Amino acid sequence: MLNQKVALITGSTSGIGLATAHVLAAQGISLVLHGLLPTHEGKKLANEFSAQYGINAMFDNADLMNVESIECLIRHAIKQMGSVDILINNAGIQHTESAENFPLEKWNAIIAINLSAAFHAVQYALPNMKSNGWGRIINVASVHGLVGSVNKSAYCAAKHGLVGLTKVLALECAEQGITVNAICPGWVDTPLINDQISAIAKKQDITFEAAKYQLVTAKQPLPEMMAPEQIGEFILFLCSDSARSITGSALPMDGAWTAQ
Ligand SMILES: NC(=O)c1ccc[n+]([C@@H]2O[C@H](COP(=O)([O-])OP(=O)(O)OC[C@H]3O[C@@H](n4cnc5c(N)ncnc54)[C@H](O)[C@@H]3O)[C@@H](O)[C@H]2O)c1
């Protein structure tokens, strides 16, 4: 029964993570909310989830750049909530620049947050899932885990890496009742892509909305951005018993972007 499970969603103070938290909480799944919010704001968010959905919810603002913080995040969550049954590695950042000019600190941060943090979180969460004989690990990758785009060397390297990690983990966990999958979304309407939209609007002297449409249709045949809740509903399905045979997959949800 999913309503007896605990889900930890990294980066759940915004965008896809926050929307996913609402979708899971509506099914009675208890939550470890996480993201870069001050502690008092994060605790307020957790209290709001508890009040709205009648679930247990806690908050942690561990910086995913730091391995020790990730260990504390998982250990603290298991201690306080009793278990982490569902791990959603969702937090991510973006920076666009040609490979030649890509700042080293941005490269290191993208690899650390978008890829290495998922590896560390899994290492600390797996023993608990194995002892329960059940687990769901869902890595929020991207179409950029499947194809490349100019100016996204670090992001594409991290997301392709996350897809590779997903496949290996699925093989290692196949007999343990634990599934591991990557979701590969196209454009999703969240703050992560606002800089890219603003850059187009400025360069072409057009409105933010017109720039958004241009960004979406440049690569994605289905000419609309996805709502973050759609990713949340997909994640909920992957947590269900019906999805128990789906493992080791990199699943596009991309308006036919990668069908081309
Ligand atoms: N928006 C899109 O179009 C899109 C498309 C495909 C994949 N994705 C992926 O979806 C995931 C979520 O993205 P989003 O669009 O919801 O972004 P967002 O900017 O709305 O949210 C990012 C979250 O990550 C957290 N975070 C960032 N750096 C952190 C750090 N150092 N330590 C801890 N937490 C940190 C933030 O606090 C926030 O909660 C990312 O992995 C992103 O790559 C997004």
Side-chain angles (χ1 to χ4, degrees):
M1 291 291 286
L2 282 179
N3 64 6
Q4 283 155 17
K5 305 296 187 194
V6 178
L8 188 158
I9 312 172
T10 67
S12 42
T13 55
S14 173
I16 293 170
L18 182 59
T20 301
H22 280 286
V23 170
L24 300 193
Q27 298 302 313
I29 297 172
S30 292
L31 291 178
V32 182
L33 297 163
H34 163 267
L36 294 181
L37 275 187
T39 304
H40 68 280
E41 283 181 41
K43 284 190 172 167
K44 185 167 167 277
L45 183 68
N47 288 339
E48 286 166 4
F49 266 86
S50 295
Q52 185 176 349
Y53 298 106
I55 57 160
N56 288 331
M58 62 172 278
F59 171 75
D60 198 308
N61 54 8
D63 183 353
L64 298 181
M65 294 279 290
N66 183 298
V67 183
E68 287 78 31
S69 302
I70 298 171
E71 182 176 9
C72 287
L73 165 68
I74 305 290
R75 294 207 192 291
H76 185 200
I78 292 172
K79 193 168 175 207
Q80 192 164 324
M81 306 294 278
S83 190
V84 168
D85 308 295
I86 299 164
L87 172 65
I88 302 168
N89 289 307
N90 164 75
I93 58 167
Q94 176 62 287
H95 181 79
T96 55
E97 186 94 71
S98 67
E100 198 181 349
N101 297 317
F102 213 88
L104 179 60
E105 72 277 10
K106 293 284 186 195
W107 170 275
N108 287 337
I110 289 176
I111 298 297
I113 297 166
N114 296 17
L115 174 58
S116 301
F119 168 72
H120 299 306
V122 165
Q123 272 203 322
Y124 298 120
L126 259 184
N128 177 240
M129 288 184 187
K130 284 188 176 174
S131 70
N132 292 340
W134 194 94
R136 293 286 186 268
I137 297 171
I138 294 150
N139 296 321
V140 180
S142 166
V143 286
H144 289 114
L146 303 171
V147 296
S149 284
V150 292
N151 294 337
K152 294 189 177 173
S153 53
Y155 192 80
C156 288
K159 295 300 189 181
H160 276 71
L162 195 55
V163 167
L165 175 65
T166 300
K167 292 176 182 175
V168 172
L169 290 171
L171 296 173
E172 292 181 2
C173 296
E175 294 178 22
Q176 320 272 345
I178 300 165
T179 68
V180 189
N181 290 291
I183 295 186
C184 301
W187 294 116
V188 188
D189 204 351
T190 77
L192 185 93
I193 59 173
N194 284 351
D195 284 353
Q196 293 173 71
I197 298 169
S198 298
I200 295 172
K202 192 173 167 202
K203 194 172 173 192
Q204 299 186 21
D205 196 21
I206 55 177
T207 64
F208 188 82
E209 282 309 310
K212 194 187 242 188
Y213 183 78
Q214 207 179 100
L215 183 73
V216 175
T217 51
K219 293 261 175 106
Q220 194 179 291
L222 195 152
E224 63 182 37
M225 285 216 178
M226 270 169 282
E229 292 72 23
Q230 291 176 259
I231 313 292
E233 296 287 352
F234 194 15
I235 288 173
L236 176 64
F237 171 69
L238 290 175
C239 293
S240 72
D241 193 50
S242 307
R244 68 186 179 279
S245 305
I246 304 175
T247 191
S249 300
L251 302 158
M253 189 173 183
D254 66 358
W257 183 328
T258 54
Q260 299 166 98

